[in-house]
Amino acid sequence: MTNPAPFNIMTKPIGPRCNIDCEYCYYLEKEKLYPSEKKFRMAPDTLENYVRQTIEASVEAGMAEVNFAWQGGEPTMLGVDYFRQIIALQEKHAVDGVPIANAFQTNGILLNDEWGAFLKDNGFLVGISIDGPKKVHDRYRVDRAGRPTFDSVMKGLEVLQRHEVEHNALTVVQRANGGKGKEIYNFLKGLGIEFMQFIPIVERAQENGTLASAPQVDMDPGNKVTSWSVSPRAYGKFLCDVFDTWFKQDIGKIYVQYFDTQLGLWLGRGSNICVFAENCGNGLAMEHDGSLYSCDHYVYPEYKLGNLNETHLRDMLWTDRQQQFGRDKSEALTKQCKSCSFRFACNGGCPKHRFALARDGESGLDYFCESHTMFFRHAGDRMKDMVRLVNAGRAPAEAAKLKRSSPKR
């Protein structure tokens, strides 16, 4: 067992069960891991064990706050009373002086006033999934009958805003919106969204049509990316277009996770998200039955660390095995990555996406290498301006006043 260290767990109290059927969702197929499961729902004993052990492990790791991140599937399908039970368990097992925070990711469709009041009263941070305007959002985010979901999501967003629930938008960047960065950004801004996350998606399909499992390095080169995967160039252009609009109009007023993370990296302060961290392994996934996996993108039998009903979280979190999983990220970098001048800002990207070939033919390059490199070259001078301002004790928003011309792509 290694020394305790801070961690984050993406919790799936309803497993992969969802009330919609997004075409690009990689998690719905996790139902195959539980072929005899009839009701995906974290049982009361498992839920209490999870809450108690998470609090104990967080205190042991010296974390200033205990963090719970509830996802799915779609967690609102469990109902408000289920989450009232969670709050009661957190209060039961709380440690004096250590605050508890809850984050919640939802498609927004089931949100109503009861949910709004509960989320506000208990200080939940809510991420709501919105892929863009109606036509774009409804391209892939449909219900199980193939019906569009945009109008229902907008009603859910209205609930959050009316109840003044702290929220952000999570936008999946895919084939339909990959070239629409400025449009998507301005749309979200028009909705009153002040915090934005843009998550690119790419999956590889095997010859039988099923999604390829991770890791994908050295896998069959004949496997193709799915039709809804965003291309590297489209995602790169998306980032550049969003950055230009944000930098000109909204720096210091609207917060984009990618840009905030990059500023931290350019300042030499490291990454606050695993994708760009030098090593990973501190962001795990908890399934509804108490099974802990190395990462949300690695919920496969070979990456199962154990079950909290049999082994305490502390004895799964800080093992040599999980630490090696995290170190594999930096140890498996291609020669191209190791010699790249932007390595500090990228660190090779997410290991799950490392199925492209480097310039010399070496396998294991990030599929989104071109995307990030395009952004770094495009925004690099302005990032440096912000770094100089921060180091001088000034606000990075002042960089927009320098009126540096944007380099051409």
Side-chain angles (χ1 to χ4, degrees), residues 348-399:
C350 178
K352 187 188 177 184
H353 297 150
R354 293 179 178 179
F355 55 82
L357 296 179
R359 288 188 292 267
D360 63 0
E362 183 181 3
S363 61
L365 186 73
D366 180 15
Y367 172 83
F368 291 115
C369 175
E370 179 184 355
S371 316
H372 301 309
T373 302
M374 186 187 302
F375 173 79
F376 300 150
R377 289 173 176 162
H378 180 76
D381 286 343
R382 285 170 285 176
M383 295 297 296
K384 291 175 183 177
D385 287 340
M386 288 189 281
V387 167
R388 282 192 288 269
L389 286 165
V390 172
N391 287 335
R394 297 163 65 185
E398 293 181 42

Side-chain angles (χ1 to χ4, degrees), residues 11 47-56 58 65-70 82-96 98-104 118 121-124:
T11 314
L47 183 61
E48 180 157 14
N49 284 339
Y50 176 59
V51 170
R52 175 179 55 81
Q53 291 180 27
T54 300
I55 293 172
E56 291 172 351
S58 299
E65 185 176 73
V66 182
N67 294 295
F68 289 91
W70 308 99
Y82 188 91
F83 282 86
R84 290 194 177 103
Q85 179 186 2
I86 288 174
I87 295 298
L89 289 171
Q90 291 175 344
E91 292 174 348
K92 176 181 177 181
H93 295 288
V95 174
D96 288 343
V98 183
I100 294 175
N102 287 282
F104 191 88
F118 169 81
D121 291 346
N122 292 282
F124 275 62

Side-chain angles (χ1 to χ4, degrees), residues 15 65 91 94 114 206 220 225 245 285 316 382:
E65 185 176 73
E91 292 174 348
E114 184 180 16
Q206 302 180 89
D220 185 352
V225 297
T245 307
M316 295 185 283
R382 285 170 285 176

